Amino acid sequence: MRITDEVAPFSVVSVLRLEGSLAVPALRAALDALQRRHPLLRARILPEGKGYAYHFDVAGPIPLEVGERSGHDHWIAAVEDELARRIDLEAGPLIRCRYLFDQSGGDLIVAIPHNILDAACAAPLFSELISLCAGLAPASAGDTAQEGRFSASALYPKEYTGLGLARATAAHMGRQMADEMRFRWHSRGVRKAPIFETGRCRILPIRLSPALTAGLVQVSRRRRITLNAILSAAMVSAVQRHLYPSPRVPLRHIIFTDLRPRLRTAVPGTVLGCFLTLFRLTVMVERARGFWPLAQQIQDLTLRAARSGERFLANSTSPGTMKMIFGLKAFRMSATAFSYAGPIDLRTTGGSFEVTGVHSFAANMTLGPEYSALVRLFRGELWWDILYLDSDMDAALAQRIADDMRAILEEATC
């Protein structure tokens, strides 16, 4: 992720939408307390040998920009600005905040490098912040002392260390090469995603109604296909219709998976860090087969990768993979990328204010996926935070893809 940030700003920008009153002095005090509780919020990242290392010596406070909210959707433009702004990783701190408010409430926008934030620790971190803003004492942060001290690779299971890791990695690379050859063969005559010199991140937040969300949960249980696979299939199918109109086309699809519970020593969500990896699946989309075979295919590919230890191998080879992608500049990472965080356990009340909405967007680059989304279950609804580049499509096309995803999911529940 540090390598990626050298090419383009690579932060996660999250938004807490508030109703009621949050005083700026209370927010400032809460941010200061949060920084004292988390070593990685007092850290910076410097080159060390052939890699990078955290230095826990940042004395400056978390930057906070305060302004008036000029409309209910002012936060959307503000998030797009934050996604384009690089956090100075060598100076720190590894966090930046903007607070926009008016008489009815406000939007707290938090930008954090992806290096220290994943879906597992985001909700606990923001629950801490909300408690501190309300003047309450969060749960003990004693387990944060080791933040940033161990990488995921240092905690792999024993069979993925030393010679075992080397052998498994060699086999993994062989499978990747074979998959690449098959993908290129089946992609003959199919549209190739363009690579632009520049592109600005644009966002599209949508929500699925409680009725549709409940219907999707029910059909997931009935068909024994995960919600992750169902939602992924809807995205892949809609993107294929609009960007890859061939009746039979292979597409790259990225799914993110949590490493924390699979490590030799499980890392709790109260500890900041990015303990995730990605599965890059090659999905054959055949319009004539319909939706459910596609969802089943995505689930089968994901389970096969998980059972074979691909999560650790993809993680350990990711620095080399990203260097190759940036060096060649010959292909996009994928057509789509999807992350489903599941139901989020987030404190929503703070005395004088209430959290009524939560959003999160991971920055993208011109070599990244064409259409991506971070999704969570919040207040009985599926909240989709879609991201695309303005060099790939305009807002109208992004909306049509989202509308198609919704229609596909509605049909799936019938």
Side-chain angles (χ1 to χ4, degrees):
M1 292 182 173
R2 180 66 180 84
I3 294 167
T4 302
D5 191 81
E6 292 179 354
V7 175
F10 196 46
S11 300
V12 177
V13 179
S14 302
V15 185
L16 298 176
R17 308 217 67 197
L18 311 177
E19 286 187 2
S21 175
L22 170 59
V24 173
L27 174 58
R28 177 70 268 173
L31 290 173
D32 293 342
L34 192 73
Q35 189 177 30
R36 289 192 297 270
R37 291 165 62 86
H38 289 278
L40 279 175
L41 300 184
R42 305 189 303 274
R44 56 197 181 116
I45 304 173
L46 296 176
E48 185 170 291
K50 295 182 179 180
Y52 301 89
Y54 291 113
H55 289 246
F56 302 91
D57 57 1
V58 174
I62 295 173
L64 173 62
E65 179 183 337
V66 178
E68 184 177 351
R69 186 166 66 174
S70 60
H72 192 68
D73 291 332
H74 182 183
W75 68 273
I76 293 178
V79 166
E80 292 177 346
D81 288 342
E82 288 297 324
L83 288 165
R85 293 174 60 195
R86 178 176 271 106
I87 292 175
D88 190 341
L89 303 184
E90 294 194 3
L94 305 179
I95 182 173
R96 180 176 65 232
C97 298
R98 186 189 298 193
Y99 181 43
L100 305 172
F101 66 97
D102 55 24
Q103 292 182 344
S104 62
D107 296 307
L108 179 58
I109 303 169
V110 183
I112 300 178
H114 215 331
N115 309 64
I116 68 166
L117 190 77
D118 58 18
C121 67
L125 177 70
F126 293 131
S127 290
E128 278 187 58
L129 179 56
I130 293 164
S131 294
L132 291 167
C133 286
L136 303 174
S140 172
D143 56 1
T144 67
Q146 297 301 312
E147 277 185 0
R149 307 292 179 179
F150 298 100
S151 64
S153 58
L155 301 174
Y156 286 170
K158 289 184 178 179
E159 59 267 33
Y160 292 102
T161 60
L163 187 58
L165 177 61
R167 288 173 175 169
T169 299
H172 168 74
M173 296 305 295
R175 290 191 295 271
Q176 292 295 303
M177 291 175 63
D179 180 71
E180 180 67 22
M181 292 175 65
R182 287 192 297 271
F183 177 77
R184 294 190 181 190
W185 176 260
H186 291 295
S187 296
R188 292 170 303 158
V190 173
R191 168 188 176 267
K192 183 178 180 181
I195 299 175
F196 298 96
E197 194 65 29
T198 60
R200 184 176 173 85
C201 292
R202 300 296 185 188
I203 66 172
L204 174 60
I206 66 170
R207 288 154 60 183
L208 302 188
S209 69
L212 178 53
T213 298
L216 289 169
V217 172
Q218 291 173 3
V219 75
S220 169
R221 292 170 178 167
R222 186 170 68 250
R223 288 186 173 264
R224 297 185 179 181
I225 298 179
T226 64
L227 202 54
N228 196 328
I230 292 172
L231 302 180
S232 287
M235 171 184 278
V236 171
S237 183
V239 167
Q240 184 269 331
R241 291 180 185 180
H242 289 274
L243 301 184
Y244 298 86
S246 303
R248 186 176 187 271
V249 57
L251 292 182
R252 299 289 202 192
H253 177 61
I254 290 175
I255 291 179
F256 296 88
T257 183
D258 186 11
L259 285 176
R260 289 174 183 253
R262 306 287 182 175
L263 297 172
R264 190 167 63 250
T265 301
V267 180
T270 51
V271 173
L272 294 183
C274 193
F275 296 89
L276 59 76
T277 191
L278 59 85
F279 295 146
R280 191 171 74 142
L281 311 177
T282 299
V283 182
M284 184 60 71
V285 186
E286 300 179 79
R287 195 176 303 169
R289 295 190 65 198
F291 174 76
W292 287 110
L294 177 61
Q296 186 68 60
Q297 180 188 171
I298 291 174
Q299 173 162 290
D300 292 345
L301 289 170
T302 304
L303 289 175
R304 190 181 309 155
R307 289 169 179 166
S308 65
E310 294 289 318
R311 68 181 81 238
F312 305 112
L313 305 175
N315 181 268
S316 65
T317 58
S318 61
T321 299
M322 295 312 298
K323 288 178 181 177
M324 178 194 68
I325 289 172
F326 296 142
L328 293 176
K329 296 182 180 179
F331 56 88
R332 302 285 287 264
M333 292 176 63
S334 65
T336 52
F338 181 82
S339 177
Y340 177 54
I344 60 168
D345 183 14
L346 179 73
R347 181 184 181 90
T348 58
T349 56
S352 62
F353 65 89
E354 181 182 6
V355 179
T356 58
V358 56
H359 299 275
S360 196
F361 302 87
N364 196 9
M365 58 202 159
T366 57
L367 292 169
E370 296 175 272
Y371 204 81
S372 61
L374 305 183
V375 182
R376 69 206 61 84
L377 184 60
F378 181 64
R379 291 191 164 189
E381 297 179 319
L382 284 166
W383 292 54
W384 289 65
D385 289 331
I386 299 165
L387 186 140
Y388 61 97
L389 299 178
D390 59 7
S391 52
D392 285 326
M393 65 189 72
D394 58 18
L397 176 54
Q399 184 66 60
R400 288 198 298 273
I401 294 173
D403 291 343
D404 257 10
M405 288 194 305
R406 189 193 303 269
I408 290 167
L409 292 170
E410 288 174 345
E411 184 177 350
T413 61
C414 295

